[in-house]
Amino acid sequence: MDSKPNLHQVACRKFIDHCKDTFGWSDLTDDVIMDVGCGEEGLCGKSMLEKFPDVSAIIGIDFDPKVVRNFKLKTTPKFQCVLADIEKRETLRNYKGKINKIISIRTFHQLINKEEAFRNVYHLLKPGGEAAILFGSYTVDMYKSGENKDRFKEMVEKIGFRVLECSEAKIVIPYPSDQACKDALYQMCGNSFNIPPEEVEQFKEECFQLLVKTSARDPEGRPCYRSTELRLLLAKPTESSGTPGAEHLGLQTTI
């Protein structure tokens, strides 16, 4: 375990624990897991390996070639990172119907075509496979244009998923100091930008000022990170269940 896990690591571990309890995961020896939007750190897949070291394989996918080149877990057994885009089915050909479980943390809220992404998740899973999606909202308001838990629940049910959980939670994280907040913000989003070393402190300051402006401080004067998160825990029916969804009806299934 890392001595000082960052906020994203903590979120990953908590979410995997929640999935374990909700789905009843125990022996994943034969399971192939896909981590959608794995990032350079591969934290979600790494959390799976911590909890289930005997898993068959973990495939991290990311649409950014830089992430694949700089993937920091290249030497980790059972974990590979490949270039693929969950919104583009042609990039996922090799994995059609081969994945037992799909996990994704704080990636789906950034997608343009979320419905197509969910269709592709369904397409990738084996019958009886499961998907665990955690939406996050750092700077993107995922609730604009009516995007909320009811809309996503209806969306995935039409595709054919069985919904085990669809819930929202307000997250408030106070920081002990302004500097701790700046450092945490940089950990969360710094890798998404090519920031010259001499401009890192300015970047931290600008992120911090934006956070304070939008999230304010708590009664004790501590800066707070606030967001709304959406959890979707889904199961693809087995072939014998006969649950009719868009994929079952033959919509958008050809690659």
Side-chain angles (χ1 to χ4, degrees):
M1 289 281 183
D2 306 279
S3 58
K4 287 187 176 181
N6 62 36
L7 291 175
H8 190 49
Q9 286 174 300
V10 172
C12 288
R13 290 168 180 165
K14 287 184 177 180
F15 188 55
I16 297 304
D17 283 339
H18 180 72
C19 293
K20 176 180 179 291
D21 294 339
T22 304
F23 286 117
W25 291 346
S26 56
D27 181 8
L28 304 188
T29 304
D30 298 323
D31 283 17
V32 176
I33 315 297
M34 179 172 283
D35 177 3
V36 175
C38 61
E40 291 183 11
E41 302 285 345
L43 294 178
C44 191
K46 183 179 179 181
S47 298
M48 281 293 293
L49 278 175
E50 291 173 353
K51 188 65 64 174
F52 302 100
D54 295 327
V55 69
S56 177
I58 295 182
I59 301 167
I61 67 169
D62 205 290
F63 72 89
D64 187 349
K66 179 184 174 184
V67 167
V68 179
R69 288 195 305 269
N70 298 334
F71 189 60
K72 296 183 179 179
L73 300 176
K74 290 179 180 178
T75 60
T76 302
K78 302 183 179 181
F79 200 158
Q80 63 171 314
C81 178
V82 299
L83 185 66
D85 188 339
I86 195 62
E87 294 182 83
K88 297 179 180 179
R89 186 169 297 187
E90 65 272 15
T91 70
L92 305 165
R93 291 176 183 271
N94 293 337
Y95 307 105
K96 176 184 178 182
K98 296 180 180 179
I99 307 299
N100 298 92
K101 293 171 174 51
I102 291 178
I103 52 177
S104 182
I105 293 184
R106 295 173 176 169
T107 292
F108 266 64
H109 68 281
Q110 303 178 62
L111 301 180
I112 302 300
N113 192 339
K114 297 178 181 66
E115 183 169 357
E116 182 64 13
F118 279 118
R119 289 189 185 280
N120 289 336
V121 168
Y122 193 97
H123 163 88
L124 291 164
L125 288 171
K126 293 181 177 181
E130 297 161 332
I133 312 296
L134 177 68
F135 284 72
S137 53
Y138 291 138
T139 58
V140 179
D141 180 6
M142 71 178 185
Y143 297 106
K144 64 184 179 181
S145 304
E147 290 191 343
N148 54 41
K149 68 182 181 69
D150 295 331
R151 177 167 174 345
F152 287 120
K153 183 174 185 292
E154 179 183 10
M155 179 188 297
V156 297
E157 286 179 334
K158 283 184 177 180
I159 290 171
F161 282 109
R162 180 166 60 93
V163 179
L164 280 73
E165 179 181 347
C166 180
S167 63
E168 293 175 353
K170 299 288 185 181
I171 308 298
V172 180
I173 303 173
Y175 295 91
S177 67
D178 289 4
Q179 188 59 50
C181 181
K182 294 175 185 179
D183 293 341
L185 290 171
Y186 183 70
Q187 283 184 325
M188 283 194 287
C189 60
N191 287 336
S192 300
F193 303 91
N194 294 318
I195 306 168
E198 65 274 13
E199 297 181 11
V200 167
E201 292 305 316
Q202 180 183 346
F203 177 81
K204 288 182 179 181
E205 181 64 28
E206 291 175 355
C207 288
F208 175 72
Q209 292 300 330
L210 178 61
L211 178 85
V212 172
K213 181 179 179 180
T214 57
S215 295
R217 297 176 183 267
D218 68 6
E220 298 179 25
R222 297 176 299 181
C224 293
Y225 168 76
R226 305 172 193 267
S227 76
T228 301
E229 294 186 337
L230 168 65
R231 284 193 301 216
L232 276 172
L233 302 189
L234 313 171
K236 179 176 180 175
T238 59
E239 292 177 332
S240 60
S241 67
T243 303
E247 293 282 343
H248 291 85
L249 297 174
L251 302 180
Q252 298 191 22
T253 58
T254 303
I255 64 171

